[in-house]
Amino acid sequence: MNPSAYIEMQELEDSHWWFVARRQIIYNLIGQFCPSPNKILEVGCGTGGNLAMLSQFGELKAFEMDSNALAMANQKGISNLTLILGQCPDQLPFEGEQFDLICLFDVLEHIQEDSKTLVQLKKYLTPRGKMIITVPAYPSLFGPHDQFLQHHRRYSKVELKKIIHQSGFKIKKISYFNFILFPLAVLNRLVGLLMQRFIDPERQTSVTKPSAIINLTLRYIFASERHLLRHSNLPFGLSLVCIVSI
């Protein structure tokens, strides 16, 4: 990932509406599908924004490929945590261990060999374990922000299901999310694409935190989807979430 994106992530992940609401959604999904994991692995933990939340569920181990991001994550001061360098798909740490819950939160799109990565991670999952994956949706929305984050792709629901099945997993749940705000997000992405195409071909976009009232409002709207996801799958959205087992 772009080194600047790690710095941005560290600055925003504790308070920006998108990060905070996504954690609330993930927390609820873990509680629903894997409520008592003894051992948890986060793949590509970045600067550590999800570590405190995940550590509430059980013994947590995590790895990250970027040493600077790893140093930022270590500064979180999370207890009951093992955090080391590693990289998908061929430099996976914790060889021989198995986990009840494996988490890849907006990680798979950064990996060229995404299918191979899932195959390699399969041996780390206990027979009754679950893996939770989030990825950006709709390849047609690939634009300046994806380039800034150094994404290789965005996923269609069909393509994500295909890769998961080919990797030997069973899907327990797959749904879009960031559904309510999707029209605004699409408009923003289209504006970015048009500006890149016709005004500034080198344009890449980072994320900024809006004013406090807007940030709180967007957080509330996005986080409210956790109640919908408990009972149904959403028909569209800016991201996809998938929960799988072996």
Side-chain angles (χ1 to χ4, degrees):
M1 192 162 74
N2 190 323
S4 299
Y6 284 119
I7 297 171
E8 178 183 281
M9 184 186 298
Q10 185 193 35
E11 293 173 348
L12 296 175
E13 62 190 355
D14 289 337
S15 59
H16 189 279
W17 65 271
W18 185 87
F19 289 102
V20 176
R22 186 184 67 156
R23 276 196 298 273
Q24 291 179 268
I25 290 168
I26 290 169
Y27 181 90
N28 274 37
L29 288 171
I30 293 173
Q32 181 179 359
F33 286 92
C34 193
S36 302
N38 292 319
K39 295 183 67 177
I40 306 161
L41 174 65
E42 184 176 12
V43 177
C45 66
T47 56
N50 301 307
L51 296 176
M53 179 269 291
L54 291 173
S55 68
Q56 297 177 50
F57 288 97
E59 178 190 348
L60 176 60
K61 296 188 177 182
F63 68 88
E64 167 59 43
M65 65 173 288
D66 186 274
S67 59
N68 291 325
L70 193 72
M72 296 177 200
N74 267 315
Q75 293 173 5
K76 300 288 185 181
I78 309 298
S79 59
N80 197 30
L81 169 67
T82 302
L83 185 58
I84 61 175
L85 283 170
Q87 187 170 347
C88 299
D90 296 321
Q91 298 177 37
L92 299 180
F94 310 119
E95 181 67 31
E97 295 191 51
Q98 288 191 314
F99 299 86
D100 305 300
L101 176 64
I102 298 178
C103 305
L104 294 90
F105 302 139
D106 285 48
V107 168
L108 209 57
E109 66 273 14
H110 293 277
I111 303 169
Q112 186 68 51
E113 297 176 287
D114 54 351
S115 181
K116 183 179 179 181
T117 292
L118 292 178
V119 171
Q120 293 287 78
L121 287 172
K122 185 179 177 183
K123 63 186 178 184
Y124 286 84
L125 200 62
T126 61
R128 295 184 179 181
K130 304 292 191 300
M131 182 184 295
I132 180 167
I133 302 163
T134 65
V135 293
Y138 295 107
S140 59
L141 293 179
F142 192 96
H145 186 61
D146 296 284
Q147 293 169 346
F148 172 72
L149 295 175
Q150 296 184 348
H151 291 171
H152 289 287
R153 67 193 77 79
R154 300 179 70 92
Y155 289 85
S156 69
K157 188 175 181 180
V158 170
E159 182 62 23
L160 184 59
K161 289 172 70 173
K162 178 181 177 182
I163 291 170
I164 287 169
H165 284 140
Q166 288 177 343
S167 302
F169 291 97
K170 299 175 183 176
I171 295 176
K172 312 299 290 185
K173 180 180 182 69
I174 185 167
S175 175
Y176 292 99
F177 69 115
N178 208 343
F179 158 74
I180 301 171
L181 296 170
F182 184 67
L184 291 176
V186 170
L187 179 61
N188 181 64
R189 295 302 173 96
L190 289 176
V191 169
L193 284 169
L194 290 171
M195 289 184 67
Q196 185 186 52
R197 179 168 296 181
F198 297 109
I199 299 175
D200 182 6
E202 302 301 320
R203 182 176 185 270
Q204 296 183 344
T205 60
S206 59
V207 175
T208 56
K209 184 178 173 182
S211 67
I213 186 64
I214 294 175
N215 192 63
L216 183 63
T217 301
L218 294 175
R219 170 185 167 182
Y220 177 82
I221 293 171
F222 185 17
S224 69
E225 293 184 11
R226 67 191 187 277
H227 304 299
L228 299 174
L229 286 166
R230 175 169 286 277
H231 303 290
S232 61
N233 296 324
L234 303 179
F236 53 84
L238 200 62
S239 299
L240 282 159
V241 60
C242 189
I243 298 167
V244 307
S245 63
I246 54 178

